[in-house]
Amino acid sequence: AQTIHQWPVAEIKAVGSPLSLGCTIKGKSSPNLYWYWQATGGTLQQLFYSITVGQVESVVQLNLSASRPKDDQFILSTEKLLLSHSGFYLCAWRGTMNERLFFGHGTKLSVL
Amino acid sequence: GDSVTQTEGLVTVTEGLPVMLNCTYQTAYSDVAFFWYVQYLNEAPKLLLRSSTDNKRTEHQGFHATLHKSSSSFHLQKSSVQLSDSALYYCALPRGNTGKLIFGLGTTLQVQP
């Protein structure tokens, strides 16, 4: 069975500090991987997606970057956090175009 | 381009009454699946319903939806809502043969006693 693990579960960071969020998927080769962001009380926004190692497409510009260093790993990062980065970050994967998304449990980020 | 529209941001319904959450879409692709996801407070979204067959009713957890390609709609319905149905509901569709997945803006369903 496939599993998706996100880390950390929650993070409190200062404005201007760096950030790195991780996501690993086990039990599925070559998944399509996604990062979503949800502001408190807001809607889901797709940030990035990746269909293969080393390739990442940006959907929304939020002064964040993403990388896929391995087939089963997806990293979201920034060198300088903004207050507006606060929210809920979700990693997700799916196999093919018409398959459902499987979400990780999410990371709650508070930028102070 | 491809898009998903959920017109209601907030729907408030009294417990025991029916509800319909609207979802319409625009896509250039005919062979795609459509999804409803439900997100409870402080949790990740979970799949509620999926359909790729025109005019076929799909049911799960008391909710149902029918994909109507003629009207480009995939509305979510329930005949009798419960307090525990209060959540954020998203309609979604894949964007062609790419990795992208489009979500609607979401509809918050608030069930009151």
Side-chain angles (χ1 to χ4, degrees):
Chain A
Q2 301 89 358
T3 59
I4 179 169
H5 176 60
Q6 266 188 260
W7 73 91
V9 173
E11 189 89 273
I12 299 174
K13 302 278 279 186
V15 169
S17 63
L19 174 76
S20 181
L21 303 181
C23 174
T24 56
I25 292 87
K26 297 299 180 189
K28 178 70 182 179
S29 70
S30 304
N32 292 314
L33 298 175
Y34 303 82
W35 277 111
Y36 286 89
W37 173 71
Q38 190 177 37
T40 303
T43 63
L44 277 174
Q45 276 193 282
Q46 188 172 335
L47 299 177
F48 299 94
Y49 74 95
S50 170
I51 58 176
T52 191
V53 174
Q55 184 190 50
V56 176
E57 298 288 336
S58 172
V59 178
V60 174
Q61 290 294 330
L62 285 179
N63 293 309
L64 295 167
S65 60
S67 65
R68 187 167 176 178
K70 301 179 188 175
D71 186 53
D72 63 352
Q73 196 173 74
F74 206 19
I75 308 294
L76 183 71
S77 60
T78 182
E79 291 186 3
K80 224 176 214 187
L81 278 166
L82 307 172
L83 283 174
S84 56
H85 285 137
S86 292
F88 197 41
Y89 288 83
L90 290 151
C91 179
W93 74 270
R94 63 181 175 139
T96 61
M97 183 182 81
N98 282 331
E99 288 182 9
R100 57 168 287 191
L101 268 183
F102 292 87
F103 286 92
H105 53 70
T107 295
K108 186 171 181 180
L109 175 66
S110 300
V111 181
L112 307 174
Chain B
D2 294 356
S3 65
V4 174
T5 302
Q6 291 180 252
T7 51
E8 310 106 344
L10 173 66
V11 171
T12 302
V13 183
T14 301
E15 187 180 17
L17 293 183
V19 69
M20 184 169 83
L21 306 184
N22 292 318
C23 173
T24 56
Y25 63 87
Q26 202 168 16
T27 179
Y29 297 86
S30 56
D31 188 24
V32 293
F34 295 84
F35 304 86
W36 274 102
Y37 286 85
V38 57
Q39 185 179 22
Y40 299 102
L41 193 62
N42 296 323
E43 294 183 13
K46 299 175 187 174
L47 180 68
L48 182 58
L49 290 173
R50 177 193 181 280
S51 178
S52 58
T53 306
D54 196 14
N55 296 316
K56 182 181 176 184
R57 176 170 160 143
T58 304
E59 297 190 42
H60 186 61
Q61 294 182 349
F63 286 91
H64 63 90
T66 303
L67 178 61
H68 291 297
K69 293 187 179 181
S70 60
S71 58
S72 299
S73 67
F74 190 47
H75 305 320
L76 183 68
Q77 299 181 68
K78 190 170 187 181
S79 57
S80 176
V81 294
Q82 302 171 336
L83 291 173
S84 58
D85 293 328
S86 294
L88 182 56
Y89 292 81
Y90 288 101
C91 185
L93 73 98
R95 188 172 179 179
N97 198 24
T98 68
K100 295 183 182 178
L101 187 69
I102 301 173
F103 281 88
L105 292 179
T107 298
T108 297
L109 174 61
Q110 204 170 63
V111 181
Q112 56 190 17

